[in-house]
PDB file of all heavy atoms in Angstrom:
ATOM      1  N   PRO A 203      80.200 -17.555 -38.375  1.00  0.00           N
ATOM      2  CA  PRO A 203      79.272 -17.758 -37.252  1.00  0.00           C
ATOM      3  C   PRO A 203      78.469 -19.046 -37.332  1.00  0.00           C
ATOM      4  O   PRO A 203      78.019 -19.559 -36.304  1.00  0.00           O
ATOM      5  CB  PRO A 203      78.367 -16.519 -37.314  1.00  0.00           C
ATOM      6  CG  PRO A 203      78.500 -15.997 -38.714  1.00  0.00           C
ATOM      7  CD  PRO A 203      79.896 -16.323 -39.129  1.00  0.00           C
ATOM      8  N   ARG A 204      78.251 -19.586 -38.555  1.00  0.00           N
ATOM      9  CA  ARG A 204      77.449 -20.804 -38.659  1.00  0.00           C
ATOM     10  C   ARG A 204      78.151 -22.023 -38.051  1.00  0.00           C
ATOM     11  O   ARG A 204      77.501 -23.032 -37.774  1.00  0.00           O
ATOM     12  CB  ARG A 204      77.091 -21.083 -40.127  1.00  0.00           C
ATOM     13  CG  ARG A 204      76.010 -20.145 -40.669  1.00  0.00           C
ATOM     14  CD  ARG A 204      75.743 -20.400 -42.143  1.00  0.00           C
ATOM     15  NE  ARG A 204      75.296 -21.767 -42.409  1.00  0.00           N
ATOM     16  CZ  ARG A 204      74.044 -22.206 -42.260  1.00  0.00           C
ATOM     17  NH1 ARG A 204      73.110 -21.360 -41.827  1.00  0.00           N
ATOM     18  NH2 ARG A 204      73.719 -23.450 -42.547  1.00  0.00           N
ATOM     19  N   LEU A 205      79.452 -21.933 -37.820  1.00  0.00           N
ATOM     20  CA  LEU A 205      80.144 -23.049 -37.169  1.00  0.00           C
ATOM     21  C   LEU A 205      79.527 -23.346 -35.811  1.00  0.00           C
ATOM     22  O   LEU A 205      79.426 -24.520 -35.411  1.00  0.00           O
ATOM     23  CB  LEU A 205      81.641 -22.757 -37.024  1.00  0.00           C
ATOM     24  CG  LEU A 205      82.465 -22.844 -38.309  1.00  0.00           C
ATOM     25  CD1 LEU A 205      83.882 -22.343 -38.075  1.00  0.00           C
ATOM     26  CD2 LEU A 205      82.478 -24.274 -38.854  1.00  0.00           C
ATOM     27  N   THR A 206      79.096 -22.293 -35.104  1.00  0.00           N
ATOM     28  CA  THR A 206      78.423 -22.525 -33.827  1.00  0.00           C
ATOM     29  C   THR A 206      76.904 -22.425 -33.942  1.00  0.00           C
ATOM     30  O   THR A 206      76.181 -23.115 -33.235  1.00  0.00           O
ATOM     31  CB  THR A 206      78.942 -21.551 -32.756  1.00  0.00           C
ATOM     32  OG1 THR A 206      78.964 -20.216 -33.288  1.00  0.00           O
ATOM     33  CG2 THR A 206      80.330 -21.936 -32.320  1.00  0.00           C
ATOM     34  N   GLU A 207      76.414 -21.576 -34.830  1.00  0.00           N
ATOM     35  CA  GLU A 207      74.952 -21.479 -34.989  1.00  0.00           C
ATOM     36  C   GLU A 207      74.369 -22.816 -35.424  1.00  0.00           C
ATOM     37  O   GLU A 207      73.288 -23.207 -34.990  1.00  0.00           O
ATOM     38  CB  GLU A 207      74.615 -20.395 -36.015  1.00  0.00           C
ATOM     39  CG  GLU A 207      74.890 -18.982 -35.533  1.00  0.00           C
ATOM     40  CD  GLU A 207      74.738 -17.959 -36.650  1.00  0.00           C
ATOM     41  OE1 GLU A 207      74.419 -18.368 -37.799  1.00  0.00           O
ATOM     42  OE2 GLU A 207      74.941 -16.760 -36.400  1.00  0.00           O
ATOM     43  N   VAL A 208      75.054 -23.509 -36.317  1.00  0.00           N
ATOM     44  CA  VAL A 208      74.602 -24.809 -36.817  1.00  0.00           C
ATOM     45  C   VAL A 208      75.410 -25.944 -36.213  1.00  0.00           C
ATOM     46  O   VAL A 208      74.873 -26.944 -35.738  1.00  0.00           O
ATOM     47  CB  VAL A 208      74.711 -24.856 -38.362  1.00  0.00           C
ATOM     48  CG1 VAL A 208      74.363 -26.256 -38.886  1.00  0.00           C
ATOM     49  CG2 VAL A 208      73.808 -23.809 -38.989  1.00  0.00           C
ATOM     50  N   GLY A 209      76.741 -25.792 -36.215  1.00  0.00           N
ATOM     51  CA  GLY A 209      77.614 -26.909 -35.887  1.00  0.00           C
ATOM     52  C   GLY A 209      77.715 -27.258 -34.426  1.00  0.00           C
ATOM     53  O   GLY A 209      78.227 -28.329 -34.090  1.00  0.00           O
ATOM     54  N   SER A 210      77.229 -26.404 -33.525  1.00  0.00           N
ATOM     55  CA  SER A 210      77.387 -26.708 -32.095  1.00  0.00           C
ATOM     56  C   SER A 210      76.231 -27.522 -31.528  1.00  0.00           C
ATOM     57  O   SER A 210      76.276 -27.898 -30.353  1.00  0.00           O
ATOM     58  CB  SER A 210      77.543 -25.411 -31.295  1.00  0.00           C
ATOM     59  OG  SER A 210      76.329 -24.675 -31.272  1.00  0.00           O
ATOM     60  N   TRP A 211      75.205 -27.807 -32.336  1.00  0.00           N
ATOM     61  CA  TRP A 211      74.049 -28.560 -31.837  1.00  0.00           C
ATOM     62  C   TRP A 211      73.753 -29.747 -32.744  1.00  0.00           C
ATOM     63  O   TRP A 211      73.785 -29.629 -33.962  1.00  0.00           O
ATOM     64  CB  TRP A 211      72.805 -27.665 -31.766  1.00  0.00           C
ATOM     65  CG  TRP A 211      72.838 -26.770 -30.565  1.00  0.00           C
ATOM     66  CD1 TRP A 211      73.368 -25.519 -30.476  1.00  0.00           C
ATOM     67  CD2 TRP A 211      72.348 -27.097 -29.269  1.00  0.00           C
ATOM     68  NE1 TRP A 211      73.239 -25.030 -29.210  1.00  0.00           N
ATOM     69  CE2 TRP A 211      72.621 -25.974 -28.445  1.00  0.00           C
ATOM     70  CE3 TRP A 211      71.713 -28.208 -28.712  1.00  0.00           C
ATOM     71  CZ2 TRP A 211      72.270 -25.942 -27.090  1.00  0.00           C
ATOM     72  CZ3 TRP A 211      71.364 -28.169 -27.370  1.00  0.00           C
ATOM     73  CH2 TRP A 211      71.636 -27.042 -26.567  1.00  0.00           C
ATOM     74  N   ARG A 212      73.456 -30.870 -32.122  1.00  0.00           N
ATOM     75  CA  ARG A 212      72.944 -32.029 -32.852  1.00  0.00           C
ATOM     76  C   ARG A 212      71.565 -32.351 -32.301  1.00  0.00           C
ATOM     77  O   ARG A 212      71.256 -32.069 -31.127  1.00  0.00           O
ATOM     78  CB  ARG A 212      73.883 -33.224 -32.743  1.00  0.00           C
ATOM     79  CG  ARG A 212      74.142 -33.741 -31.338  1.00  0.00           C
ATOM     80  CD  ARG A 212      75.053 -34.962 -31.352  1.00  0.00           C
ATOM     81  NE  ARG A 212      75.314 -35.495 -30.024  1.00  0.00           N
ATOM     82  CZ  ARG A 212      76.356 -35.195 -29.260  1.00  0.00           C
ATOM     83  NH1 ARG A 212      77.270 -34.341 -29.695  1.00  0.00           N
ATOM     84  NH2 ARG A 212      76.497 -35.740 -28.059  1.00  0.00           N
ATOM     85  N   LYS A 213      70.736 -32.955 -33.131  1.00  0.00           N
ATOM     86  CA  LYS A 213      69.331 -33.138 -32.742  1.00  0.00           C
ATOM     87  C   LYS A 213      69.142 -34.234 -31.709  1.00  0.00           C
ATOM     88  O   LYS A 213      68.144 -34.242 -30.976  1.00  0.00           O
ATOM     89  CB  LYS A 213      68.476 -33.404 -33.972  1.00  0.00           C
ATOM     90  CG  LYS A 213      68.789 -34.695 -34.707  1.00  0.00           C
ATOM     91  CD  LYS A 213      67.901 -34.845 -35.935  1.00  0.00           C
ATOM     92  CE  LYS A 213      68.180 -36.143 -36.688  1.00  0.00           C
ATOM     93  NZ  LYS A 213      67.340 -36.264 -37.908  1.00  0.00           N
ATOM     94  N   GLU A 214      70.094 -35.161 -31.618  1.00  0.00           N
ATOM     95  CA  GLU A 214      70.006 -36.241 -30.641  1.00  0.00           C
ATOM     96  C   GLU A 214      71.359 -36.937 -30.586  1.00  0.00           C
ATOM     97  O   GLU A 214      72.279 -36.598 -31.341  1.00  0.00           O
ATOM     98  CB  GLU A 214      68.908 -37.243 -31.013  1.00  0.00           C
ATOM     99  CG  GLU A 214      69.073 -37.862 -32.391  1.00  0.00           C
ATOM    100  CD  GLU A 214      67.873 -38.698 -32.801  1.00  0.00           C
ATOM    101  OE1 GLU A 214      67.006 -38.932 -31.948  1.00  0.00           O
ATOM    102  OE2 GLU A 214      67.826 -39.122 -33.964  1.00  0.00           O
ATOM    103  N   SER A 215      71.471 -37.926 -29.687  1.00  0.00           N
ATOM    104  CA  SER A 215      72.722 -38.658 -29.533  1.00  0.00           C
ATOM    105  C   SER A 215      72.440 -40.149 -29.440  1.00  0.00           C
ATOM    106  O   SER A 215      71.405 -40.572 -28.902  1.00  0.00           O
ATOM    107  CB  SER A 215      73.460 -38.216 -28.263  1.00  0.00           C
ATOM    108  OG  SER A 215      73.666 -36.820 -28.246  1.00  0.00           O
ATOM    109  N   GLN A 216      73.384 -40.919 -29.929  1.00  0.00           N
ATOM    110  CA  GLN A 216      73.273 -42.366 -29.820  1.00  0.00           C
ATOM    111  C   GLN A 216      73.557 -42.793 -28.385  1.00  0.00           C
ATOM    112  O   GLN A 216      74.459 -42.275 -27.729  1.00  0.00           O
ATOM    113  CB  GLN A 216      74.290 -43.020 -30.767  1.00  0.00           C
ATOM    114  CG  GLN A 216      74.131 -44.514 -30.917  1.00  0.00           C
ATOM    115  CD  GLN A 216      75.025 -45.051 -32.031  1.00  0.00           C
ATOM    116  OE1 GLN A 216      76.051 -44.472 -32.349  1.00  0.00           O
ATOM    117  NE2 GLN A 216      74.621 -46.148 -32.627  1.00  0.00           N
ATOM    118  N   THR A 217      72.786 -43.733 -27.862  1.00  0.00           N
ATOM    119  CA  THR A 217      73.031 -44.272 -26.526  1.00  0.00           C
ATOM    120  C   THR A 217      73.910 -45.505 -26.668  1.00  0.00           C
ATOM    121  O   THR A 217      73.633 -46.388 -27.485  1.00  0.00           O
ATOM    122  CB  THR A 217      71.718 -44.643 -25.827  1.00  0.00           C
ATOM    123  OG1 THR A 217      71.006 -45.594 -26.624  1.00  0.00           O
ATOM    124  CG2 THR A 217      70.841 -43.423 -25.632  1.00  0.00           C
ATOM    125  N   GLY A 218      74.955 -45.574 -25.858  1.00  0.00           N
ATOM    126  CA  GLY A 218      75.903 -46.668 -26.025  1.00  0.00           C
ATOM    127  C   GLY A 218      76.637 -46.535 -27.340  1.00  0.00           C
ATOM    128  O   GLY A 218      76.463 -45.565 -28.086  1.00  0.00           O
ATOM    129  N   TRP A 219      77.502 -47.501 -27.640  1.00  0.00           N
ATOM    130  CA  TRP A 219      78.268 -47.415 -28.874  1.00  0.00           C
ATOM    131  C   TRP A 219      77.413 -47.717 -30.096  1.00  0.00           C
ATOM    132  O   TRP A 219      77.606 -47.132 -31.161  1.00  0.00           O
ATOM    133  CB  TRP A 219      79.468 -48.350 -28.801  1.00  0.00           C
ATOM    134  CG  TRP A 219      80.464 -48.053 -29.882  1.00  0.00           C
ATOM    135  CD1 TRP A 219      80.699 -48.794 -30.997  1.00  0.00           C
ATOM    136  CD2 TRP A 219      81.324 -46.922 -29.969  1.00  0.00           C
ATOM    137  NE1 TRP A 219      81.660 -48.193 -31.774  1.00  0.00           N
ATOM    138  CE2 TRP A 219      82.075 -47.037 -31.166  1.00  0.00           C
ATOM    139  CE3 TRP A 219      81.546 -45.815 -29.152  1.00  0.00           C
ATOM    140  CZ2 TRP A 219      83.025 -46.094 -31.556  1.00  0.00           C
ATOM    141  CZ3 TRP A 219      82.492 -44.879 -29.544  1.00  0.00           C
ATOM    142  CH2 TRP A 219      83.209 -45.025 -30.734  1.00  0.00           C
ATOM    143  N   ASN A 220      76.439 -48.625 -29.944  1.00  0.00           N
ATOM    144  CA  ASN A 220      75.597 -48.992 -31.083  1.00  0.00           C
ATOM    145  C   ASN A 220      74.114 -48.978 -30.730  1.00  0.00           C
ATOM    146  O   ASN A 220      73.305 -49.626 -31.396  1.00  0.00           O
ATOM    147  CB  ASN A 220      75.974 -50.397 -31.586  1.00  0.00           C
ATOM    148  CG  ASN A 220      77.373 -50.447 -32.155  1.00  0.00           C
ATOM    149  OD1 ASN A 220      77.689 -49.704 -33.069  1.00  0.00           O
ATOM    150  ND2 ASN A 220      78.210 -51.309 -31.597  1.00  0.00           N
ATOM    151  N   GLY A 221      73.743 -48.254 -29.685  1.00  0.00           N
ATOM    152  CA  GLY A 221      72.374 -48.295 -29.204  1.00  0.00           C
ATOM    153  C   GLY A 221      71.439 -47.348 -29.935  1.00  0.00           C
ATOM    154  O   GLY A 221      71.818 -46.672 -30.894  1.00  0.00           O
ATOM    155  N   PRO A 222      70.191 -47.260 -29.463  1.00  0.00           N
ATOM    156  CA  PRO A 222      69.195 -46.375 -30.088  1.00  0.00           C
ATOM    157  C   PRO A 222      69.476 -44.911 -29.765  1.00  0.00           C
ATOM    158  O   PRO A 222      70.298 -44.580 -28.907  1.00  0.00           O
ATOM    159  CB  PRO A 222      67.882 -46.839 -29.452  1.00  0.00           C
ATOM    160  CG  PRO A 222      68.290 -47.384 -28.113  1.00  0.00           C
ATOM    161  CD  PRO A 222      69.634 -48.015 -28.329  1.00  0.00           C
ATOM    162  N   MET A 223      68.768 -44.034 -30.469  1.00  0.00           N
ATOM    163  CA  MET A 223      68.896 -42.597 -30.237  1.00  0.00           C
ATOM    164  C   MET A 223      68.126 -42.181 -28.983  1.00  0.00           C
ATOM    165  O   MET A 223      67.103 -42.775 -28.652  1.00  0.00           O
ATOM    166  CB  MET A 223      68.386 -41.817 -31.442  1.00  0.00           C
ATOM    167  CG  MET A 223      69.205 -42.060 -32.697  1.00  0.00           C
ATOM    168  SD  MET A 223      70.886 -41.477 -32.459  1.00  0.00           S
ATOM    169  CE  MET A 223      71.711 -42.345 -33.794  1.00  0.00           C
ATOM    170  N   ASP A 224      68.636 -41.143 -28.308  1.00  0.00           N
ATOM    171  CA  ASP A 224      67.977 -40.719 -27.068  1.00  0.00           C
ATOM    172  C   ASP A 224      66.903 -39.664 -27.299  1.00  0.00           C
ATOM    173  O   ASP A 224      66.137 -39.341 -26.388  1.00  0.00           O
ATOM    174  CB  ASP A 224      69.004 -40.219 -26.055  1.00  0.00           C
ATOM    175  CG  ASP A 224      69.756 -38.966 -26.515  1.00  0.00           C
ATOM    176  OD1 ASP A 224      69.413 -38.405 -27.576  1.00  0.00           O
ATOM    177  OD2 ASP A 224      70.695 -38.547 -25.812  1.00  0.00           O
ATOM    178  N   GLY A 225      66.842 -39.071 -28.515  1.00  0.00           N
ATOM    179  CA  GLY A 225      65.807 -38.090 -28.820  1.00  0.00           C
ATOM    180  C   GLY A 225      65.991 -36.742 -28.168  1.00  0.00           C
ATOM    181  O   GLY A 225      65.084 -35.905 -28.206  1.00  0.00           O
ATOM    182  N   ARG A 226      67.165 -36.477 -27.583  1.00  0.00           N
ATOM    183  CA  ARG A 226      67.400 -35.210 -26.874  1.00  0.00           C
ATOM    184  C   ARG A 226      68.446 -34.369 -27.609  1.00  0.00           C
ATOM    185  O   ARG A 226      69.553 -34.839 -27.841  1.00  0.00           O
ATOM    186  CB  ARG A 226      67.898 -35.481 -25.446  1.00  0.00           C
ATOM    187  CG  ARG A 226      66.932 -36.242 -24.558  1.00  0.00           C
ATOM    188  CD  ARG A 226      67.534 -36.455 -23.182  1.00  0.00           C
ATOM    189  NE  ARG A 226      68.781 -37.212 -23.273  1.00  0.00           N
ATOM    190  CZ  ARG A 226      69.627 -37.379 -22.243  1.00  0.00           C
ATOM    191  NH1 ARG A 226      69.374 -36.795 -21.083  1.00  0.00           N
ATOM    192  NH2 ARG A 226      70.720 -38.099 -22.390  1.00  0.00           N
ATOM    193  N   PRO A 227      68.113 -33.132 -27.953  1.00  0.00           N
ATOM    194  CA  PRO A 227      69.130 -32.255 -28.548  1.00  0.00           C
ATOM    195  C   PRO A 227      70.285 -32.054 -27.576  1.00  0.00           C
ATOM    196  O   PRO A 227      70.099 -32.026 -26.349  1.00  0.00           O
ATOM    197  CB  PRO A 227      68.381 -30.941 -28.787  1.00  0.00           C
ATOM    198  CG  PRO A 227      66.934 -31.320 -28.807  1.00  0.00           C
ATOM    199  CD  PRO A 227      66.798 -32.463 -27.852  1.00  0.00           C
ATOM    200  N   HIS A 228      71.480 -31.916 -28.135  1.00  0.00           N
ATOM    201  CA  HIS A 228      72.657 -31.682 -27.296  1.00  0.00           C
ATOM    202  C   HIS A 228      73.557 -30.661 -27.964  1.00  0.00           C
ATOM    203  O   HIS A 228      73.762 -30.697 -29.188  1.00  0.00           O
ATOM    204  CB  HIS A 228      73.453 -32.973 -27.084  1.00  0.00           C
ATOM    205  CG  HIS A 228      74.694 -32.755 -26.248  1.00  0.00           C
ATOM    206  ND1 HIS A 228      74.663 -32.756 -24.870  1.00  0.00           N
ATOM    207  CD2 HIS A 228      75.975 -32.484 -26.596  1.00  0.00           C
ATOM    208  CE1 HIS A 228      75.886 -32.503 -24.413  1.00  0.00           C
ATOM    209  NE2 HIS A 228      76.697 -32.342 -25.441  1.00  0.00           N
ATOM    210  N   GLY A 229      74.111 -29.752 -27.173  1.00  0.00           N
ATOM    211  CA  GLY A 229      75.013 -28.777 -27.763  1.00  0.00           C
ATOM    212  C   GLY A 229      75.542 -27.771 -26.772  1.00  0.00           C
ATOM    213  O   GLY A 229      75.362 -27.890 -25.558  1.00  0.00           O
ATOM    214  N   GLY A 230      76.202 -26.771 -27.325  1.00  0.00           N
ATOM    215  CA  GLY A 230      76.832 -25.714 -26.551  1.00  0.00           C
ATOM    216  C   GLY A 230      78.158 -25.343 -27.173  1.00  0.00           C
ATOM    217  O   GLY A 230      78.720 -26.110 -27.960  1.00  0.00           O
ATOM    218  N   PHE A 231      78.658 -24.161 -26.818  1.00  0.00           N
ATOM    219  CA  PHE A 231      79.963 -23.753 -27.327  1.00  0.00           C
ATOM    220  C   PHE A 231      80.540 -22.700 -26.394  1.00  0.00           C
ATOM    221  O   PHE A 231      79.843 -22.125 -25.554  1.00  0.00           O
ATOM    222  CB  PHE A 231      79.869 -23.213 -28.760  1.00  0.00           C
ATOM    223  CG  PHE A 231      79.118 -21.920 -28.913  1.00  0.00           C
ATOM    224  CD1 PHE A 231      79.783 -20.698 -28.886  1.00  0.00           C
ATOM    225  CD2 PHE A 231      77.729 -21.919 -29.089  1.00  0.00           C
ATOM    226  CE1 PHE A 231      79.096 -19.495 -29.028  1.00  0.00           C
ATOM    227  CE2 PHE A 231      77.033 -20.730 -29.237  1.00  0.00           C
ATOM    228  CZ  PHE A 231      77.723 -19.513 -29.202  1.00  0.00           C
ATOM    229  N   TYR A 232      81.833 -22.465 -26.551  1.00  0.00           N
ATOM    230  CA  TYR A 232      82.531 -21.447 -25.774  1.00  0.00           C
ATOM    231  C   TYR A 232      82.665 -20.184 -26.624  1.00  0.00           C
ATOM    232  O   TYR A 232      83.120 -20.243 -27.769  1.00  0.00           O
ATOM    233  CB  TYR A 232      83.931 -21.931 -25.367  1.00  0.00           C
ATOM    234  CG  TYR A 232      83.909 -23.243 -24.625  1.00  0.00           C
ATOM    235  CD1 TYR A 232      84.375 -24.412 -25.227  1.00  0.00           C
ATOM    236  CD2 TYR A 232      83.413 -23.331 -23.324  1.00  0.00           C
ATOM    237  CE1 TYR A 232      84.352 -25.624 -24.565  1.00  0.00           C
ATOM    238  CE2 TYR A 232      83.380 -24.548 -22.645  1.00  0.00           C
ATOM    239  CZ  TYR A 232      83.851 -25.694 -23.277  1.00  0.00           C
ATOM    240  OH  TYR A 232      83.819 -26.898 -22.612  1.00  0.00           O
ATOM    241  N   THR A 233      82.258 -19.068 -26.054  1.00  0.00           N
ATOM    242  CA  THR A 233      82.508 -17.802 -26.727  1.00  0.00           C
ATOM    243  C   THR A 233      84.007 -17.500 -26.646  1.00  0.00           C
ATOM    244  O   THR A 233      84.744 -18.105 -25.850  1.00  0.00           O
ATOM    245  CB  THR A 233      81.728 -16.654 -26.080  1.00  0.00           C
ATOM    246  OG1 THR A 233      82.267 -16.406 -24.763  1.00  0.00           O
ATOM    247  CG2 THR A 233      80.244 -16.972 -25.978  1.00  0.00           C
ATOM    248  N   GLN A 234      84.441 -16.545 -27.432  1.00  0.00           N
ATOM    249  CA  GLN A 234      85.857 -16.188 -27.365  1.00  0.00           C
ATOM    250  C   GLN A 234      86.215 -15.591 -26.007  1.00  0.00           C
ATOM    251  O   GLN A 234      87.324 -15.807 -25.503  1.00  0.00           O
ATOM    252  CB  GLN A 234      86.212 -15.252 -28.518  1.00  0.00           C
ATOM    253  CG  GLN A 234      86.085 -15.941 -29.872  1.00  0.00           C
ATOM    254  CD  GLN A 234      86.850 -15.265 -30.982  1.00  0.00           C
ATOM    255  OE1 GLN A 234      87.478 -14.226 -30.784  1.00  0.00           O
ATOM    256  NE2 GLN A 234      86.812 -15.869 -32.165  1.00  0.00           N
ATOM    257  N   ASP A 235      85.292 -14.887 -25.391  1.00  0.00           N
ATOM    258  CA  ASP A 235      85.540 -14.387 -24.040  1.00  0.00           C
ATOM    259  C   ASP A 235      85.642 -15.542 -23.050  1.00  0.00           C
ATOM    260  O   ASP A 235      86.457 -15.492 -22.114  1.00  0.00           O
ATOM    261  CB  ASP A 235      84.442 -13.411 -23.611  1.00  0.00           C
ATOM    262  CG  ASP A 235      84.571 -12.048 -24.289  1.00  0.00           C
ATOM    263  OD1 ASP A 235      85.659 -11.753 -24.815  1.00  0.00           O
ATOM    264  OD2 ASP A 235      83.576 -11.298 -24.303  1.00  0.00           O
ATOM    265  N   ASP A 236      84.803 -16.571 -23.216  1.00  0.00           N
ATOM    266  CA  ASP A 236      84.922 -17.768 -22.374  1.00  0.00           C
ATOM    267  C   ASP A 236      86.323 -18.352 -22.471  1.00  0.00           C
ATOM    268  O   ASP A 236      86.949 -18.697 -21.458  1.00  0.00           O
ATOM    269  CB  ASP A 236      83.919 -18.843 -22.802  1.00  0.00           C
ATOM    270  CG  ASP A 236      82.485 -18.523 -22.458  1.00  0.00           C
ATOM    271  OD1 ASP A 236      82.259 -17.717 -21.529  1.00  0.00           O
ATOM    272  OD2 ASP A 236      81.579 -19.072 -23.119  1.00  0.00           O
ATOM    273  N   ILE A 237      86.803 -18.489 -23.700  1.00  0.00           N
ATOM    274  CA  ILE A 237      88.114 -19.103 -23.909  1.00  0.00           C
ATOM    275  C   ILE A 237      89.211 -18.268 -23.272  1.00  0.00           C
ATOM    276  O   ILE A 237      90.134 -18.807 -22.634  1.00  0.00           O
ATOM    277  CB  ILE A 237      88.387 -19.301 -25.411  1.00  0.00           C
ATOM    278  CG1 ILE A 237      87.466 -20.384 -25.978  1.00  0.00           C
ATOM    279  CG2 ILE A 237      89.847 -19.659 -25.655  1.00  0.00           C
ATOM    280  CD1 ILE A 237      87.678 -21.769 -25.389  1.00  0.00           C
TER     281      ILE A 237
END
Side-chain angles (χ1 to χ4, degrees):
R204 286 177 60 82
L205 286 172
T206 47
E207 290 172 0
V208 175
S210 69
W211 282 90
R212 60 178 181 266
K213 65 181 181 182
E214 57 188 351
S215 305
Q216 189 171 26
T217 58
W219 194 253
N220 295 303
M223 296 297 162
D224 64 6
R226 298 180 300 170
H228 179 84
F231 67 93
Y232 305 109
T233 68
Q234 294 200 358
D235 285 343
D236 288 337
I237 291 297

